[in-house]
Amino acid sequence: MAEQSVWSMVISILLAGILTDNMVLSKFLGICPFLGVSKKLNTAFAMGMAVILVMLLATAVTYPIYVFLLIPFGLEYLQTIAFILVIAALVQMLEIVMKRFMPPLYKALGIYLPLITTNCAVLGITLLHFTNQKIIDFAAASGGYATGKVFVVCMANALGAGAGFLLSMLLFAGVRSRLEKANVPKFLQGLPITLIAASIVALSFLGFAGIA
Amino acid sequence: MNAILIAVAIVGGVGLVGGVLLAVISHFCDTGETNERLAEIRDALPGANCGACGYAGCDSYAEAVENGSAEPNLCAPGGADSAKKLAEILGVEVDLVKKVARVNCNGCTDVAETRYNYTGLPSCKAAAALGGGMKACDFGCLGLGDCVNVCEFGAISVKNGIAVVDETLCGGCGLCAKTCPKQVISIVTAKKAATVPCNNKQKGGQARKVCKAACIGCSACVRACEFGAVKVENFLATIDPEKCTNCGKCVAACPQKIII
């Protein structure tokens, strides 16, 4: 495989995270906030921003733990437990710090943070850095995971996944606000029609498959 | 054995570091002053989460009261007690009357005519879907107890084919009034006043045909009342509890003997 520059890799990873490997619509992670918080456009936006923030932070913290703590001791199989632990503590800390120092931001995002604590999309992205074939190839070509270049690419991956989550939240909030006004048969009202709409939106994202 | 120890040490260490960091951060970032009042307000509310105040639950109502966007007297189940406590906490005055549900129908099985023999689901909603219910009166209580099921306080029972509200138990939350397919239940101030337990808005003759305990809209009570508390609209008398002095003149004047 030809040597790839960091920036071309970053861009391709970002686009993949947003479109082809969309967290919600292709990998079906983070469905719970996707269905729960997508009723209104502004809450969906706030949730999406909170997820981006937490994904970036979680990657920044779990990546060194995995690379410098788990791999040297051969404990890769403990990554799920270790990451859950770290992410839960991290989100709690973030909440406390935000409450203290950034009250307006806490008002806007704070209520979504506890929801993200155990969000599978956040845990998923931290785990997927190490199973994503593109990143594995890139790491192999540029000297292993413990190099700064790969870390940058993983942060891009987290940003892309978060942005993809935000995009799908916003799209779906739009769909749902239309759905509110639609005349839905009684047996489909509420969650059933929401799930059907979600599957159709996911189907539309299949159109991106094969681009990257 | 060593592998296990290392694993335990590393995961435990990560957890320990996280825990200690959390403790330290929460200690230094503790703002202290917040939420004492909120907790107090929350404690003063009954916790029925009925939503009668218009908020999602007691927690969100407490928040709204705390930041001043809601009046302290909106809690129906808590009534005067909780409003008084909230007002104390907030340091404001509230005026306040207990609200209760009232079933505006007295057409029990002895006096009300039926259209057909209903044998379906024991639910007012189901019965109402069948030609408006089995009662000949289109406005009366069907007595199948949808309101009994929805009541959080166990205040409603069905006696002789009519829902009866125990006003001492009633929290005035209005869930029954929302549930009733006949809209025969109204939320009123719990004041000793004469009431007309009838909901029939038909002309006198028609009303009398379907129920012996119907208000026929004859206005005898209006003439009898010295305080202008009674009025007749749509052939149905209503008594304003604010003006009524419970003198009993309308009770005596009513030819149907239905005012209580």
Side-chain angles (χ1 to χ4, degrees):
Chain A
M1 191 183 155
E3 185 79 21
Q4 207 177 0
S5 84
V6 180
W7 298 116
S8 75
M9 185 67 191
V10 162
I11 287 169
S12 105
I13 282 278
L14 259 180
L15 281 180
I18 296 172
L19 299 177
T20 49
D21 289 340
N22 190 292
M23 219 45 187
V24 178
L25 300 172
S26 307
K27 295 203 196 307
F28 303 108
L29 291 172
I31 296 291
C32 158
F34 178 66
L35 295 177
V37 202
S38 62
K39 264 193 186 143
K40 282 192 210 134
L41 212 55
N42 49 352
T43 55
F45 181 72
M47 182 74 188
M49 293 310 279
V51 166
I52 291 182
L53 183 67
V54 173
M55 276 185 177
L56 284 174
L57 268 177
T59 301
V61 174
T62 57
Y63 185 87
I65 286 181
Y66 186 75
V67 172
F68 297 115
L69 210 56
L70 297 186
I71 291 182
F73 290 101
L75 294 174
E76 287 93 337
Y77 61 91
L78 281 177
Q79 57 175 348
T80 309
I81 294 178
F83 285 7
I84 288 177
L85 206 63
V86 170
I87 293 171
L90 185 75
V91 174
Q92 281 298 312
M93 275 180 229
L94 184 66
E95 196 185 347
I96 297 169
V97 170
M98 251 164 76
K99 203 173 185 175
R100 176 74 177 81
F101 296 106
M102 295 168 274
L105 193 63
Y106 177 75
K107 277 248 161 72
L109 299 185
I111 44 170
Y112 304 111
L113 283 179
L115 289 175
I116 302 173
T117 313
T118 46
N119 187 320
C120 53
V122 175
L123 178 65
I125 193 64
T126 57
L127 296 173
L128 285 171
H129 293 321
F130 308 108
T131 54
N132 186 324
Q133 196 54 47
K134 265 198 259 177
I135 300 183
I136 291 177
D137 289 345
F138 183 75
S142 54
Y145 266 101
T147 50
K149 274 198 247 171
V150 186
F151 179 68
V152 170
V153 169
C154 283
M155 288 302 274
N157 193 20
L159 181 63
F165 183 84
L166 176 65
L167 176 71
S168 53
M169 286 289 277
L170 290 181
L171 282 178
F172 198 54
V175 171
R176 273 186 87 165
S177 61
R178 291 288 185 92
L179 214 54
E180 294 267 295
K181 296 186 190 94
N183 191 9
V184 179
K186 195 160 189 193
F187 67 101
L188 283 176
Q189 275 169 15
L191 216 47
I193 193 71
T194 309
L195 285 169
I196 291 172
S199 70
I200 294 172
V201 175
L203 205 59
S204 73
F205 264 66
L206 270 185
F208 291 117
I211 284 184
Chain B
M1 194 59 205
N2 239 356
I4 295 177
L5 280 182
I6 291 174
V8 168
I10 286 185
V11 176
V14 167
L16 194 70
V17 170
V20 168
L21 267 180
L22 257 185
V24 169
I25 286 180
S26 82
H27 184 257
F28 282 111
C29 294
D30 191 9
T31 44
E33 26 73 37
T34 51
N35 288 344
E36 230 168 76
R37 206 165 73 140
L38 184 64
E40 237 179 284
I41 291 174
R42 179 64 188 78
D43 284 343
L45 294 170
N49 284 323
C50 65
C53 49
Y55 290 86
C58 292
D59 282 335
S60 46
Y61 177 57
E63 227 163 78
V65 170
E66 204 267 334
N67 62 34
S69 60
E71 292 290 316
N73 61 351
L74 296 181
C75 181
D81 285 349
S82 74
K84 219 181 273 170
K85 269 188 230 158
L86 291 190
E88 246 168 53
I89 298 168
L90 296 170
V92 294
E93 297 270 315
V94 279
D95 60 325
L96 176 292
V97 267
K98 181 175 155 72
K99 300 250 175 179
V100 291
R102 189 162 289 162
V103 181
N104 298 315
C105 178
N106 214 3
C108 57
T109 41
D110 307 333
V111 293
E113 301 295 325
T114 48
R115 260 198 283 254
Y116 57 86
N117 198 6
Y118 179 73
T119 54
L121 280 175
S123 150
C124 305
K125 207 176 167 192
L130 287 174
M134 64 293 196
K135 275 205 169 143
C137 173
D138 273 330
F139 305 89
C141 171
L142 296 175
L144 293 171
D146 281 10
C147 49
V148 177
N149 297 334
V150 82
C151 184
E152 300 269 347
F153 307 95
I156 312 181
S157 55
V158 173
K159 285 183 191 129
N160 214 358
I162 287 291
V164 180
V165 179
D166 183 341
E167 292 191 1
T168 55
L169 293 177
C170 178
C173 68
L175 282 179
C176 49
K178 274 180 216 154
T179 305
C180 180
K182 289 287 169 187
Q183 280 144 14
V184 71
I185 305 178
S186 52
I187 304 299
V188 295
T189 49
K191 191 189 166 193
K192 275 238 172 301
T195 49
V196 185
C198 181
N199 199 30
N200 192 310
K201 298 176 183 76
Q202 290 170 309
K203 278 188 180 174
Q206 192 62 33
R208 212 195 311 242
K209 231 179 255 172
V210 294
C211 178
K212 283 179 198 133
C215 172
I216 54 175
C218 66
S219 299
C221 44
V222 178
R223 288 187 292 275
C225 185
E226 291 167 7
F227 309 96
V230 193
K231 63 176 194 286
V232 172
E233 261 173 20
N234 295 327
F235 312 102
L236 178 63
T238 47
I239 299 176
D240 184 352
E242 296 300 318
K243 292 180 185 159
C244 176
T245 58
N246 215 10
C247 66
K249 290 212 170 110
C250 54
V251 178
C254 181
Q256 291 285 88
K257 302 288 170 226
I258 60 161
I259 302 183
I260 48 174

